[in-house]
Amino acid sequence: MTSDLLAPLDLAFWNIESPEHPMHLGALGVFSALSPAAGAHAADLLAARAAAVPGLRMRIRDVWQPLAFGGATREPAPDFDPLDHVRLHAPTTDFQAVAGRLMERPLERGRPPWEAHVLPGEDGFSFAVLFKFHHALADGLRALTLAAAILDPMDLPARKPRPEEPAKGYFPDVRKLPGFIRGTVSDVGRALDIGASVALSTVGVRSSSALTSEPSGTRRTAGVVVDLDDVHRVRKAQGGTVNDVLIAVVAGALRRWLDERGDGSEGVAPRALIPVSKRRPRTAHPQGNRLSGYLIRLPVDDPDPLARLDTVRTAMDRNKDAGPNRGAGAVALLADHVPALGHRLGGPLVSQAARLWFDILVTSVPLPSIGLKLGGNPVTEVFPFAPLARGQSLAVAVSTYRGQVHYGLVADAEAVPDLDVLAKAVTEEVETLITACEA
């Protein structure tokens, strides 16, 4: 294995991290236990299998060499020990409560930035595993690949190998210089377009103080399970996509939550960032983050659930027509235009600017449709958790797994002590949409 320079966006994630706002992804998998000792056995399996997964051996080290000054590299850790990363905890009756406390702890930056926490259930019939991966090590797709490598083997259809792309040097091929110049001009135009869109997105913003907070460094998590058939019923009745319905559910749940806690939803239309992956499957270097995004206003202030869905669908269609390379949601693409030292020096400033860009993150995490297992114990639920940006109190991640939709909610524990109320509102909003469709 050789070292690999971090891509610009990976480097940005590495440098905007702070103790109060760690930049790791999480996923809480709940398993049905075949025996009371299943949790302890699962911890042993994870440690044993991790030793054989090259991607889990990779640490991130700063680079101060010419042409990469201020950058960082992903390289094998010489003293990698899986037992430093896989931890067995005491039995618990509340997986989410423990997950929240574990999500607030930053990963140790001097060793491979990932952890697997095994949480046995006190009932002996279940256990959970919380996976944590730093965003500089893996995006959602890469994290899924690494986690799957230490779960039980899956029978997947064979894929033809994709020829590797030739290595790129530090300077462009002179024979391709005209095309390179055209690409540079296009990139500059795109950067100006994105910057202008970001400036316009801040005009007339009406969010809620419940969605912003000073960092406390604390975390609380919650999970909600929704029947995918119910989501399809709404989609078939109203049109659009499953993702449109899932985002509209978030808008309606926020409305209920704000009204119930007394903050009020009148005039509230927070900007939601919807990440979009631009990484092609089966690429030669799959570990690098390639993200863009769509920015939409969530119609929290609209009392009509079907009108909220129509507003979300229209906004998403508009973003898709423009494409992921344009608009305020594509700010992440600007990372490619910042030199490595700029990421290092500007990281703290960028982290503080998130509040100016968007109010809440709503992201979708893909999962395989086939059943996942660990030591023969089947996964029954998977709740994804997104990083919480500085100045924001709530992030929402969604995954679909074997006929169910799983909402993973992450919040600042001090700013949102009533996260369970929001979780309940998600379920109620799905029921409201179904009722509205049948009326």
Side-chain angles (χ1 to χ4, degrees):
M1 293 183 290
T2 59
S3 62
D4 181 25
L5 284 175
L6 262 62
L9 189 54
D10 297 341
L11 189 60
F13 286 135
W14 188 244
N15 284 300
I16 65 176
E17 181 174 63
S18 68
E20 295 80 16
H21 285 89
M23 289 302 299
H24 53 252
L25 312 168
L28 181 68
V30 180
F31 296 76
S32 177
L34 301 179
S35 73
H41 179 53
D44 292 339
L45 280 176
L46 291 174
R49 292 172 178 175
V53 180
L56 296 178
R57 293 175 167 269
M58 305 301 280
R59 68 176 181 180
I60 295 175
R61 185 178 61 83
D62 294 337
V63 175
W64 300 103
Q65 300 172 355
L67 301 180
F69 190 79
T73 184
R74 193 183 290 106
E75 64 181 24
D79 55 351
F80 174 69
D81 185 350
L83 296 178
D84 291 335
H85 301 264
V86 179
R87 298 165 189 175
L88 178 64
H89 293 257
T92 179
T93 58
D94 192 338
F95 295 139
Q96 291 288 353
V98 179
R101 292 192 294 270
L102 293 172
M103 282 296 292
E104 70 186 38
R105 301 178 186 174
L107 294 166
E108 190 171 325
R109 292 169 70 92
R111 62 189 184 193
W114 69 274
E115 292 174 352
H117 296 269
V118 182
L119 316 175
E122 273 194 0
D123 57 8
F125 298 106
S126 64
F127 68 92
V129 179
L130 174 67
F131 290 102
K132 294 168 57 178
F133 294 96
H134 199 287
H135 218 328
L137 178 71
D139 60 6
L141 289 171
R142 178 64 173 168
L144 173 63
T145 301
L146 292 173
I150 50 179
L151 296 177
D152 290 356
M154 296 182 290
D155 295 325
L156 298 175
R159 288 179 174 179
K160 294 181 180 180
R162 183 187 182 97
E164 290 199 2
E165 299 176 357
K168 295 180 180 180
Y170 289 106
F171 300 99
D173 188 331
V174 175
R175 293 168 296 178
K176 299 180 180 179
L177 193 55
F180 169 75
I181 294 174
R182 286 195 300 271
T184 300
V185 172
S186 175
D187 286 346
V188 171
R190 182 173 63 184
L192 292 174
D193 174 83
I194 294 172
S197 298
V198 170
L200 289 174
S201 72
T202 63
V203 177
V205 170
R206 172 72 171 93
S207 185
S208 169
S209 59
L211 298 178
T212 61
S213 65
E214 292 303 316
S216 71
T218 60
R219 293 292 180 271
R220 187 186 306 274
T221 67
V224 185
V225 180
V226 173
D227 194 319
L228 183 58
D229 286 341
D230 289 341
V231 176
H232 279 298
R233 287 168 63 186
V234 176
R235 178 192 61 79
K236 291 177 181 178
Q238 298 299 313
T241 68
V242 166
N243 201 41
D244 294 340
V245 177
L246 298 179
I247 296 171
V249 166
V250 174
L254 288 174
R255 176 182 176 82
R256 292 171 180 271
W257 175 61
L258 291 174
D259 287 343
E260 184 165 340
R261 73 189 335 236
D263 290 342
S265 59
E266 184 177 354
V268 174
R271 299 160 300 170
L273 177 64
I274 317 294
V276 177
S277 176
K278 288 177 58 63
R279 181 156 58 80
R280 295 176 298 172
R282 291 178 283 174
T283 52
H285 301 285
Q287 66 269 34
N289 278 284
R290 293 296 301 166
L291 291 173
S292 183
Y294 299 142
L295 198 69
I296 70 171
R297 295 286 185 91
L298 293 181
V300 172
D301 57 341
D302 194 327
D304 185 340
L306 297 185
R308 289 195 294 267
L309 174 56
D310 184 64
T311 299
V312 168
R313 182 176 65 246
T314 300
M316 288 298 289
D317 287 345
R318 187 184 306 115
N319 275 288
K320 292 172 186 175
D321 289 342
N325 295 329
R326 299 285 181 180
V331 166
L333 298 180
L334 299 182
D336 292 341
H337 302 276
V338 178
L341 188 59
H343 281 295
R344 181 172 298 278
L345 298 178
L349 294 177
V350 172
S351 69
Q352 296 180 32
R355 186 188 299 184
L356 302 177
W357 176 23
F358 64 98
D359 303 301
I360 184 172
L361 178 73
V362 183
T363 184
S364 178
V365 180
L367 290 176
S369 58
I370 60 177
L372 300 171
K373 295 182 179 181
L374 178 56
N377 304 282
V379 174
T380 58
E381 298 172 335
V382 183
F383 300 102
F385 299 133
L388 196 59
R390 184 179 182 87
Q392 297 173 354
S393 56
L394 179 67
V396 180
V398 191
S399 65
T400 301
Y401 177 69
R402 296 181 68 79
Q404 293 182 322
V405 177
H406 296 87
Y407 282 88
L409 311 178
V410 177
D412 184 290
E414 292 188 7
V416 188
D418 56 345
L419 190 60
D420 57 326
V421 176
L422 178 59
K424 181 182 177 184
V426 170
T427 301
E428 293 172 344
E429 182 62 17
V430 174
E431 295 171 353
T432 296
L433 280 168
I434 293 174
T435 301
C437 289
E438 295 175 344

